[in-house]
Amino acid sequence: MKSAVETLSPTRAKLTVEVPFEELKPSLDAAYKQIAKQINVPGFRRGKVPPQVIDKQVGRGAVLSEAVNNVLPQMYFEALQENSLEPLAQPEIEVTKLEDNEALEFTAEVDVKPEITLPDYEGIEAKVEDIELTDADVEEQIQAMRERFGTLKDIERPAADGDFVVIDLKATQDGEDVDGAEAVGMSYQVGKGGMLDGLDEALTGLSAGESADFKSTLVGGELVGQEVDVNVTVNQVQEQELPEYDDEFAQLASEFDTVKELEEDVRGRLGNGKRLEQAAAARDAVLEALLEKVEIPLPETLVADELNARREGIEQQLGFAGLTFEKYLEDEEQTIEEFEADLERRVRDAVAAQLILDQIAKEKEIGVEQQELTEHMMRRAQQSGQDPQEFVNHMLEHNHVPELVQEILRGKALAQLVEAATVVDESGSHVELKNLRPDGTIGEPEAEGADEDVESDEAPEKADA
């Protein structure tokens, strides 16, 4: 087999492949055997029909077509390897010559990874915001803990902001009940929001046994986005009583004996969480800094596919949330043109980041161990709420393992990129990333596995920020 490559653009190539006819013989033999199993010829058992009889019955052309269809994928793959091309999409293949007992020629146009010359990224500089942890942050967490252990008691006064109410809801449109837009005996906290616009205002001031009518817009169901009439009846008004914040509460709500110990633990956990948030921001900042230093030609087909996938994902999420796209744009204070421009910018940055990380992984000869792949699949299963074994079976069955391996490689490449960078906060202090543990604590410099601590499973997406 001979092949030649023509560069159509920095991200698209055309392969021309010539295959001597003798190299088609194994595929031809296989085609004859396959067709022999599919036809009935008097005097011959199924599967035992000789080639010359098949030529007369179905035609030599059908055999050649079967043989070529079977051999093309392998020949295409060999041509890619011979010319050191990395495809990014399915090829457009055209058979340009097929002469019996002579030769097979075909062309394949395909989007390929562009050649990338990385700048020196050792010591690349990036800045992130300071970690801010206030007493109010700690108090908010403590308050949430007290609320989890709070109790409700019925009260005789009208409902006010923060009270809990037990309500019945019913929506109608043009005097007809709206199917699925009713609730009986539902507990709701006044002022919490997140249900129907106007509900909190209608409930405020109502006592047990009283009702109110208001207009609202449905956020789910077949009539999503349409205005309806809503009737709400209050069955109970309840006030939440919180436990005293003392050492006894600390012992009830935690493994600590005193509120001082509890507060120290809460402050430590919040600090670790904010440190992880800062590390994620650092990954974003370092990637963005590198993106500014290198010009990368992007395969437009890949960008278009990713744009469509992002749009579908957003529409699906809005559907789950019961929001229309128009409502989303209104909440974001964006026009459709601004939304599309912002989405395309984020997609182009994400695709460029993927290509950069792939190049780093290639140059650094980063590999993936089986244990790393297993742990990555377990994390992905957990994140998606799937049974681990079912997730693994699905990945294997649909040949998604190479994609998972690529995710790991990009995460490890990102870790090396970030470790080679100089990251400071707004105050000018060094941001420790190399020895950052997954729980947000800082390990010892020689800690085993430190190289993987800043690995991100969603590394390419960090360019979205």
Side-chain angles (χ1 to χ4, degrees), residues 33 41 55 67 101 146 183 224 271 308 340-341 381 436:
K33 289 180 181 180
V41 178
D55 287 344
N101 295 312
R146 292 179 67 197
V224 59
N308 290 332
E340 288 291 343
L436 182 63

Side-chain angles (χ1 to χ4, degrees), residues 293-334:
K293 291 178 174 292
V294 58
E295 195 72 31
I296 301 176
L298 301 180
E300 292 304 320
T301 302
L302 192 62
V303 171
D305 289 345
E306 183 64 19
L307 273 170
N308 290 332
R310 294 287 186 95
R311 289 193 192 98
E312 291 176 3
I314 291 172
E315 291 173 359
Q316 188 177 57
Q317 290 175 2
L318 292 176
F320 289 150
L323 294 175
T324 63
F325 187 65
E326 291 72 19
K327 175 63 174 173
Y328 170 78
L329 290 177
E330 180 183 330
D331 292 343
E332 294 294 315
E333 298 181 349
Q334 277 188 319

Side-chain angles (χ1 to χ4, degrees), residues 19 26 33 35 98 141 230 239 254 352 387 426:
V19 184
K33 289 180 181 180
I35 294 174
L98 177 57
Q141 289 295 309
V230 183
E239 189 175 56
S254 70
D387 176 77
E426 294 287 352

Side-chain angles (χ1 to χ4, degrees), residues 121-387:
Y121 54 82
E122 294 289 333
I124 193 170
E125 297 181 355
K127 182 178 288 187
V128 294
E129 293 182 357
D130 292 341
I131 291 178
E132 293 187 4
L133 178 59
T134 65
D135 291 340
D137 294 327
V138 177
E139 290 171 6
E140 183 180 347
Q141 289 295 309
I142 296 295
Q143 181 69 8
M145 294 177 68
R146 292 179 67 197
E147 290 176 357
R148 286 201 298 271
F149 287 89
T151 57
L152 297 176
K153 71 170 184 177
D154 289 345
I155 52 177
E156 299 301 324
R157 62 171 174 76
D161 190 55
D163 288 337
F164 285 81
V165 289
V166 178
I167 59 175
D168 296 338
L169 272 175
K170 183 170 69 172
T172 60
Q173 189 178 61
D174 298 329
E176 298 290 332
D177 290 349
V178 177
D179 188 34
E182 60 180 336
V184 177
M186 182 179 69
S187 180
Y188 176 76
Q189 186 176 18
V190 181
K192 182 178 181 180
M195 275 197 66
L196 290 172
D197 287 342
L199 178 60
D200 291 324
E201 292 81 357
L203 288 171
T204 302
L206 292 184
S207 298
E210 295 182 338
S211 300
D213 296 304
F214 63 99
K215 292 185 179 295
S216 189
T217 302
L218 291 179
V219 295
E222 295 181 359
L223 301 181
V224 59
Q226 297 189 27
E227 187 177 75
V228 294
D229 297 306
V230 183
N231 174 267
V232 59
T233 299
V234 176
N235 300 318
Q236 294 171 268
V237 179
Q238 299 174 315
E239 189 175 56
Q240 187 178 47
E241 289 188 331
L242 302 181
E244 291 293 327
Y245 183 54
D246 52 22
D247 290 348
E248 186 176 338
F249 170 75
Q251 295 164 20
L252 171 68
S254 70
E255 70 271 28
F256 302 105
D257 295 325
T258 67
V259 292
K260 182 179 180 181
E261 293 173 320
L262 175 59
E263 287 180 6
E264 289 176 352
D265 178 71
V266 169
R267 188 177 295 275
R269 286 188 286 107
L270 286 175
N272 291 340
K274 288 182 177 292
R275 192 177 291 116
L276 290 176
E277 292 174 3
Q278 188 185 58
R283 289 192 289 266
D284 295 349
V286 171
L287 256 181
E288 289 170 6
L290 185 55
L291 280 171
E292 291 176 359
K293 291 178 174 292
V294 58
E295 195 72 31
I296 301 176
L298 301 180
E300 292 304 320
T301 302
L302 192 62
V303 171
D305 289 345
E306 183 64 19
L307 273 170
N308 290 332
R310 294 287 186 95
R311 289 193 192 98
E312 291 176 3
I314 291 172
E315 291 173 359
Q316 188 177 57
Q317 290 175 2
L318 292 176
F320 289 150
L323 294 175
T324 63
F325 187 65
E326 291 72 19
K327 175 63 174 173
Y328 170 78
L329 290 177
E330 180 183 330
D331 292 343
E332 294 294 315
E333 298 181 349
Q334 277 188 319
T335 64
I336 182 64
E337 292 78 16
E338 290 171 336
F339 167 81
E340 288 291 343
D342 181 59
L343 181 63
E344 182 170 353
R345 177 192 62 78
R346 290 187 287 117
V347 164
R348 287 185 174 277
D349 282 351
V351 172
Q354 289 176 353
L355 295 174
I356 283 178
L357 295 176
D358 289 346
Q359 186 66 21
I360 292 175
K362 181 179 180 180
E363 290 184 4
K364 294 290 186 179
E365 298 183 343
I366 299 174
V368 175
E369 301 291 338
Q370 180 60 47
Q371 182 64 23
E372 292 174 312
L373 177 59
T374 301
E375 292 174 355
H376 184 69
M377 287 195 287
M378 294 302 100
R379 285 196 300 272
R380 285 287 302 273
Q382 185 179 30
Q383 291 167 359
S384 62
Q386 293 180 258
D387 176 77

